[in-house]
Each structure stands twice: as C-alpha cells, then as structure tokens.
Amino acid sequence: MKELTPLDRIEVPRPRPDVAYAARLPRHDASFRGLKRLLGAADCGKAGDRQAGLAARGDAAREAARELLGELTLEHLHEHPLTDERGEVDAVMRVNYDIDRDAFAPIASLRLGELKDQLLRAPGAEVARVGGALTGVMAAALAKLCDVHELVYLARKISRPTRARTLLGAPGTLASRLQPNHPTDDLRGITLLLYWGLSLGAGDALLGVNPAAGTVETTAAILRHLDRIRRATGAPTQICCLSHIKVQLAALDQGAPVEILFQSLAGTESCNVTEFDITVDLLDDGYRRMAARGPLAGQAEQFMYFETGQGSELTYGKHNGIDMATAEALCYGLARRWDPFMVNNVTGFIGPETHLDDREMILANLQDHFMGKLLGVPMGMAPCYTLHAHVTLEGQQMATQLLTAAGANYYMDVCLNTDRMLAYFDTSGHDVQTLREIHGRAPGGEFLVWAIERGILARAGEGDEKWGTAGAITRGPRFGDVRQFCSDEAELAELLAATPAAHGFATAGPRPANAVSRRSRLEEAIARGALESELREEELARVAVFRVITTTAASKEGHLGSADAGARLSPESAAWLSPEDAQVQIVVSDGLSAEAVHHNVPDLLPVLLDGLAARGVTVGRPLLARYGRVKLAEAVAERLGARLVVMLLGERPGSGELASRSLSAYLAYRLTPGVDQEAAAAFSGNPAIGFEYTVIANVHAGGLPAAEAGGVLVEKVLQVLARRAAGNRLEALLAGDAA
C-alpha cells in the first residue's frame, strides 16, 4: 500500500501575479497575460478551448505561444501554480505538486524545449524517472510542443505495468477492458456480451459494467454476477461495477466483491466536488478501505481505477480558465496519488462542444496518452465518439493505430463498437485482436494461457508463413464461438433475446463478417439521422397543455456547440416565470433527440401526472423547452420555487431506431437553507451545494418502456420528497434502511 502524503505537507509555491508573455511576429506582436492564456494558446485548436476563449486566434499566434512556452524553465512553471477562481491553489493542483523532489532538482533550470530534446534522446527508464518529477502543468506544456511522431515516440518509450489479480501493461501486450453495458442492467444481456467478448480474447484487463441504475442494490447484484461468470469460465481477470465510489463502498460494506474501486476524475477541485461528488479525502478513505478489506487485499499491488477525458471541466463551467489538455494532465497528476491499476481515457465521449471532429479527437487522445504515461499512470485508451459530433468510426480506428504504436496498455471491448447503455461508440473486441495481430501484441500472460487452452487464441508455429513471425498470437478454432460458454442452444437463445444490437457472431479473420459490419453501420447511420429531427409542438399539445419556454440556444447548431446555452433560460422566459405553489415541476425538452420526446412522452407523462396526483403531490403545469440541457432544471426550479424538477430530456442517439429514441429523466432536488442543505453539504463536501440529482435513463421501447418509466418516476419522486434527498445521498439513506 502506498503512503499517502497529507495535503498540508505537500509544498506548493505561493500564487503570484500573472506574468505578461510577449513575442514579436513579422506583422504584429503576440502577447498572453498569464500562464493559463499561454498554455491555452499553445495547444492545437479544439472546440472547447475556442468556446472558452483560450485557443489561439490563428496559426501564427499559436506558434508564438509555443515558442514562448519552450523558453520557460521548469522552475518557472513550478513557481507559478495555476489557481482557481478565488486565486487559490485547489486540492487537485496541490496533489500535483507531490513530486519526486530529488529528480526535479537537476532539471529545474532546463527550458521546456531543452527538456523535450533531452527526453527524445533518453532511454525509456530515464523518461519515466523524469515524469515523476513533473506536475500536470509541466506535462501539458511539454505535450503542446510535440508533434504526432513525438507524442507516439516518447510515449512508446515508457512502460507502466500494474498488477491486481493479473498483470496489466507488460511490454509486448495489449489488453482489453470488457464492457457489457445493458440499457436495463438485464443480467442475461450482460452475460451474452461477456461471453461474446471472452470468445474474442477480450477482458484480460477487466470485466466492468457501467450500470444504468447506480443504486447499491444494482451495483452489488452486478458485481456478484460478474464474479460468478469469472469463476465459471476460469478467465484470469478482475471485476468492477462503475457506480459512484460512495455506492461501491456501500456495496463493499454489504459484502459485495468490489475487487477494483472505480471513480471518474476531473482536473479541478470545484468540478470534482460540485459535479462528481468527490473529494481527495473521500478517495483517500476509499483507497485505505480497499487496501484493508477489499477482496484482493494482500494480493493486488494496485486496485484503483480512474476514468478521465478532456472537456468535463469545461462542460460543467468549472475549468478555472484552464485549457482542456492542461486540466486533463492535472487529472493524471491527481490519479497517481493512489497508484491506480487502470486509468481509462474517454476523450471524445462528451461531443462537439469539446472535440468537433476526427482531427481534434485524434490529437487530443495522443496528448492524453503521452501525458498520462509520462506522469506515471497506466493508460488505457478509449478514443470514442457520439453521433452528434463530426467524429467517425474511421477516425476512431486511425486513433487506435497510432495509440497502439505509442504503447497503450488496453482498449475497451464495447461489442460491435456500440455501447447499448451509454449511447456512444468505442472500440470492440474485434478491434483489439486486429491491433494485436497488426502490431505483434498479445493479451496478458495469464489470460493468454487461458485463451490458448480454450482454443480462442493460438500461437503461430514455425513455417506458418500466413501468420508471419513464429510465435505470433493468432486466432484459434474457437475464436468468436459464444456457444462454448453456453450449456445449450436454449440458453443462448434466451441470452440473445435480452441483448440489443446483437447483429451476429460471424467473423472474417479478426474482424466481424461483412454482413455483421454492414448491419452495424446501417444502424449507426439511422441513429445519426435522428439528430436532424425537431420538436413538433402541435403534436405534443395533444399530450398536455404545455407552457413553452426558450433557452439562450437560438439554434440547433448553437445548442450542440455550446456547453451551457441550453442550460440558461432566455431573458424573455425568465421574466415571466414566477414562484408557484407546486412541489414538483415537469420540463420536457428535446435535448439531443426530439424523436425521444415524441416516442416516449405521450405514454410516460400521463402516467407520471396521474400517479403524482393520486399520491397528493402538487405539480405545476408542464413546461416545454426547445434546445435544453440538464441544468435548465435548476433555472426553472429557482424561478418557480419548486422543490423538485423532473426534466424529461432526449438523450444522444444510440445505435439503431429504438436506441435513437432514448429519453432520460433527471430529478433535480432543490435544497432549501437549513437542515437539508447542511446534510447535503456534509455528505458531499461542497458547502455551497444547491441541488442534488437522481437519473432514470434509457427510457425507450428497447430499454425501460415509457409507461413503465412513468410508474418508476412516481415512486422515485416520492422517495426524494419523503427523504428530502436525491442522488448519492438518497441511495445512502435507502441502503441504510435496507441494512
């Protein structure tokens, strides 16, 4: 177990006034006030940084910023910590200063450009040692000076292996994190996706499910199910349920097999506390509890798993004026505090407000991989995309080729590239095996032995020219054979019936057979078309007598490209909304899919309204908003004085006709001053907390049916109002009752 340095013992220089950095260009001067501005201008252009006003105004200004950055010494970067909006060093920045002081001393006087040259000449062990002496800001600054070849070349030098039950990230390996997400957490569908992935040689890094329902009960049930399958198949790997850390720790207290403890991280304390509901102290506690009594205690050298990705701080408006790449590097400087088994980067997951197209996504992933490995964390990569961005499967595949050359530890196995619960597109088990064969990689050693014994993978023999080098890892006779894990055809049929977007098991080499690929791509194209739909107010008027409100997003393009325009009421709507005597207010908005509203609200809303009325809950006249985002609920609650706002929002389209109509219900509970707010503040560590959220997701015909969702929402609204709590605090109260 790693010794955790108390925060008050980490030395951080006192913040200084912003420095003016200036360079003379042939036609004009370029100046940047403060290190934050300089770092933002030096980066390659990205949508999020442009939106935040941090990107350079042109190529010449960008190169001027890079030249200035390259002339700064590491000592200068060290002595100018980036501060929060109050001008203070936050907890994330402080943890980043917990560096190897002995390794920093001899390089402190180097200019950043000199350090880059030194690392390009140095062996991998030296590059890794220097990384331990750097803060996230230093790593980000270095990444901004590197071209694509340099980002690949430098990262490839560094090896960051870790061990839980099995070894991950050894040289010459490429692993897979099997992610069998299901829109309703149906254990039958999860089982089929697990069997499918294992049959493709995927899952050696982890078997991990993102649950649709983040409750303690669901988390514990999924973990026990994963554990049963791991034992039954004999696959040498580890398991995880990617609920919030507070939920996982509650499940651990109930005896669930929490082998690997997961949490998403942000690069600013304000984003972590207010949006992710975590603090450094909470993560310290989780680390110590896992080391003392986690299922792998005494066996695993590492047991923490963090997920990151450029843009979350900007999306939530909690970036403190720091550009996306630098904020991401600060995540890695934070993650290394707990010596994680895995770090997974999901840059591309948010959408066009952070990364607009293939180029921006690819470059950001290369930066992230390099920065993470340099700073000392084991990097798994998930170059991914959503359908409302100008990012494609081809762009994702280009990213994986480059990242494999750069030495990524692992990728995801999201079956046929389609996440059936989160409605985004990631790498598949077919992709992982394809990359292994192209780049001469293998699964982790223990898993490789298991896969060869089962005939899933094979080792090429002497003279087997079609596979290239003797000893190369290829496919065995049972590659892609899901039936090997099923007792009979009846079991397979039952599992198939519970699994969306299962377009066929046939393979061609390491790839899906053409018929399977064509069906997958067609379903994706159908879903992308759903983004073009608009709300049809006259149809919705037949469902309920809506009051129409507007946001500050004036167009769909403006809505998709902005992180917050849809979260704010237009001045006109704000002016006429006034407090009402109703406990609950319902808001319907298209969000990212108007079709989700049209296919679900007609069945859902009457059940919700009738159910609440029957229980004596007062509800205001429903509101309808075009181009809305989740946090619009807060503006509505404040204007109307509602205790709870139920936001029925069209989600980003998933693959296929049904998943392109996915609706979510966000329950935003407004905390009033007094006992409620004080309890929420104590639970979250955020003294200024104003709202708590509960989410009911994947409402559509292929997930949680709309009418059934109406009933689920009635019960959840009653729980929130009765407990005067939502989100993780509500789940903790309910788990306490169950215990």
Side-chain angles (χ1 to χ4, degrees):
M1 175 178 171
K2 181 181 178 182
E3 186 69 28
L4 303 178
T5 308
L7 291 184
D8 59 4
R9 287 177 50 192
I10 300 175
E11 297 180 10
V12 184
R14 187 183 300 273
R16 302 185 181 191
D18 283 341
V19 174
Y21 304 96
R24 185 172 297 279
L25 302 177
R27 295 185 180 179
H28 62 278
D29 293 340
S31 62
F32 310 93
R33 186 73 188 178
L35 189 55
K36 292 179 184 177
R37 290 282 178 180
L38 182 64
L39 287 164
D43 205 356
C44 53
K46 300 169 193 166
D49 292 333
R50 291 192 294 272
Q51 182 186 151
L54 295 170
R57 294 184 177 179
D59 292 343
R62 182 175 298 109
E63 288 307 318
R66 288 171 173 169
E67 183 174 349
L68 289 166
L69 200 56
E71 291 299 310
L72 298 182
T73 64
L74 293 175
E75 184 176 19
H76 180 91
L77 295 173
H78 180 277
E79 294 302 310
H80 291 81
L82 306 186
T83 58
D84 62 18
E85 293 182 342
R86 299 169 298 175
E88 299 175 359
V89 172
D90 73 7
V92 174
M93 187 65 63
R94 182 168 296 278
V95 170
N96 267 260
Y97 274 80
D98 192 10
I99 60 175
D100 183 341
R101 297 286 169 177
D102 291 336
F104 180 72
I107 64 174
S109 62
L110 286 179
R111 293 191 294 272
L112 194 65
E114 292 175 329
L115 176 65
K116 174 188 160 184
D117 291 344
Q118 178 174 307
L119 295 181
L120 287 167
R121 299 185 185 107
E126 175 64 14
V127 178
R129 190 184 71 84
V130 168
L134 304 181
T135 67
V137 172
M138 297 173 193
L142 186 62
K144 295 168 193 290
L145 299 187
C146 293
D147 61 25
V148 167
H149 287 310
E150 290 159 352
L151 291 170
V152 171
Y153 178 73
L154 285 169
R156 187 181 179 88
K157 292 187 180 192
I158 308 169
S159 177
R160 300 291 188 190
T162 54
R163 177 175 286 281
R165 174 178 287 109
T166 59
L167 182 66
L168 176 64
T173 64
L174 179 62
S176 165
R177 200 219 100 178
L178 210 169
Q179 178 169 291
N181 293 348
H182 191 279
T184 62
D185 296 326
D186 189 317
L187 296 182
R188 296 169 302 169
I190 290 172
T191 299
L192 179 67
L193 295 173
L194 282 168
Y195 288 172
W196 200 345
L198 290 170
S199 77
L200 296 172
D204 49 328
L206 187 79
L207 310 180
V209 174
N210 299 75
T215 65
V216 177
E217 180 183 14
T218 298
T219 297
I222 288 174
L223 283 168
R224 292 188 176 102
H225 187 66
L226 294 177
D227 187 53
R228 284 193 295 270
I229 289 180
R230 182 189 64 79
R231 293 174 185 274
T233 61
T237 185
Q238 32 280 315
I239 64 169
C240 180
C241 184
L242 285 74
S243 303
H244 191 275
I245 185 173
K246 292 179 179 178
V247 173
Q248 292 170 84
L249 290 174
L252 178 67
D253 290 340
Q254 294 183 4
V258 183
E259 294 185 348
I260 302 296
L261 188 63
F262 166 82
Q263 181 54 47
S264 294
L265 298 180
T268 66
E269 183 180 11
S270 60
C271 192
N272 279 322
V273 171
T274 63
E275 305 299 338
F276 291 1
D277 191 21
I278 58 171
T279 62
V280 171
D281 287 343
L282 172 64
L283 291 167
D284 283 354
D285 177 60
Y287 179 77
R288 294 186 178 109
R289 288 167 68 179
M290 287 291 290
R293 53 189 182 87
L296 299 182
Q299 177 182 355
E301 297 175 16
Q302 290 92 8
F303 41 78
M304 302 292 282
Y305 171 19
F306 298 116
E307 199 156 88
T308 69
Q310 287 190 26
S312 59
E313 303 85 3
L314 177 129
T315 296
Y316 290 117
K318 304 289 170 53
H319 56 89
N320 294 339
I322 300 172
D323 68 272
M324 295 193 300
T326 303
E328 180 68 6
L330 292 170
C331 290
Y332 306 139
L334 177 64
R336 69 181 172 187
R337 175 176 176 84
W338 300 285
D339 189 22
F341 174 61
M342 299 169 60
V343 172
N344 189 47
N345 173 276
V346 291
T347 291
F349 181 82
I350 295 174
E353 68 262 36
T354 60
H355 298 85
L356 182 63
D357 55 24
D358 286 327
R359 176 183 175 276
E360 292 184 14
M361 181 274 292
I362 293 170
L363 287 171
N365 271 271
L366 291 171
Q367 289 179 331
D368 295 347
H369 179 252
F370 162 68
M371 295 187 299
K373 287 184 76 174
L374 180 64
L375 288 169
V377 295
M379 291 300 294
M381 300 303 298
C384 53
Y385 62 98
T386 61
L387 296 184
H388 63 302
H390 301 293
V391 180
T392 64
L393 179 65
E394 290 78 14
Q396 179 197 69
Q397 291 175 342
M398 294 176 198
T400 60
Q401 292 288 348
L402 289 165
L403 289 163
T404 305
N409 277 15
Y410 68 91
Y411 294 109
M412 308 295 284
D413 171 22
V414 175
C415 185
L416 297 179
N417 302 105
T418 302
D419 191 296
R420 291 145 182 80
M421 193 278 288
L422 291 172
Y424 82 113
F425 297 82
D426 210 321
T427 53
S428 72
H430 298 91
D431 294 337
V432 176
Q433 183 58 25
T434 301
L435 292 163
R436 286 171 179 160
E437 295 190 28
I438 292 172
H439 293 270
R441 305 293 172 82
E446 303 98 327
F447 191 91
L448 176 59
V449 171
W450 172 84
I452 290 176
E453 288 176 349
R454 292 200 70 111
I456 294 169
L457 299 177
R459 194 181 296 276
E462 293 288 345
D464 201 353
E465 289 83 2
K466 68 178 180 178
W467 300 121
T469 307
I473 300 305
T474 67
R475 284 150 280 109
R478 306 203 76 176
F479 178 80
D481 177 12
V482 178
R483 289 172 174 82
Q484 65 184 289
F485 300 111
C486 297
S487 57
D488 53 33
E489 289 296 318
E491 180 189 358
L492 178 59
E494 181 183 1
L495 300 182
L496 264 171
T499 310
H503 303 311
F505 304 131
T507 61
R511 307 299 299 155
N514 184 64
V516 177
S517 294
R518 298 280 63 78
R519 177 70 184 277
S520 298
R521 297 302 297 274
L522 176 61
E523 294 286 302
E524 181 180 329
I526 290 171
R528 200 181 285 267
L531 290 162
E532 301 172 4
S533 62
E534 296 282 357
L535 281 180
R536 301 182 291 278
E537 295 178 13
E538 68 284 356
E539 291 183 20
L540 293 171
R542 295 195 288 269
V543 179
V545 181
F546 286 100
R547 294 176 288 178
V548 178
I549 58 175
T550 55
T551 70
T552 57
S555 67
K556 176 167 286 189
E557 182 179 0
H559 170 52
L560 295 179
S562 170
D564 62 353
R568 300 193 303 267
L569 285 166
S570 68
E572 296 79 12
S573 292
W576 66 261
L577 288 178
S578 58
E580 300 175 352
D581 186 21
Q583 295 168 283
V584 174
Q585 180 61 58
I586 297 170
V587 181
V588 175
S589 181
D590 51 0
L592 297 175
S593 173
E595 289 306 308
V597 170
H598 287 291
H599 282 270
N600 293 288
V601 168
D603 291 331
L604 185 157
L605 188 57
V607 175
L608 177 58
L609 290 172
D610 291 346
L612 293 178
R615 305 295 184 92
V617 177
T618 57
V619 182
R621 182 177 152 197
L623 300 171
L624 180 65
R626 194 184 299 273
Y627 309 141
R629 289 195 181 241
V630 174
K631 295 262 176 124
L632 181 63
E634 297 185 12
V636 168
E638 297 289 359
R639 297 300 300 176
L640 295 180
R643 293 302 307 277
L644 177 67
V645 171
V646 179
M647 186 88 176
L648 301 176
L649 190 71
E651 291 289 15
R652 60 194 186 193
S655 183
E657 188 174 18
L658 295 180
S660 70
R661 302 167 178 171
S662 181
L663 188 84
S664 287
Y666 294 86
L667 283 66
Y669 180 66
R670 184 171 63 91
L671 297 161
T672 55
V675 176
D676 289 355
Q677 198 280 334
E678 291 169 4
F683 184 84
S684 67
N686 175 18
I689 188 171
F691 286 84
E692 293 177 317
Y693 281 86
T694 287
V695 184
I696 306 296
N698 289 286
V699 178
H700 59 85
L704 179 63
E708 184 179 340
V712 171
L713 278 171
V714 170
E715 296 306 315
K716 189 57 69 173
V717 167
L718 294 173
Q719 287 180 342
V720 170
L721 294 177
R723 300 288 178 164
R724 293 155 62 174
N728 290 324
R729 188 163 66 95
L730 174 63
E731 295 307 319
L733 293 171
L734 295 174
D737 290 347

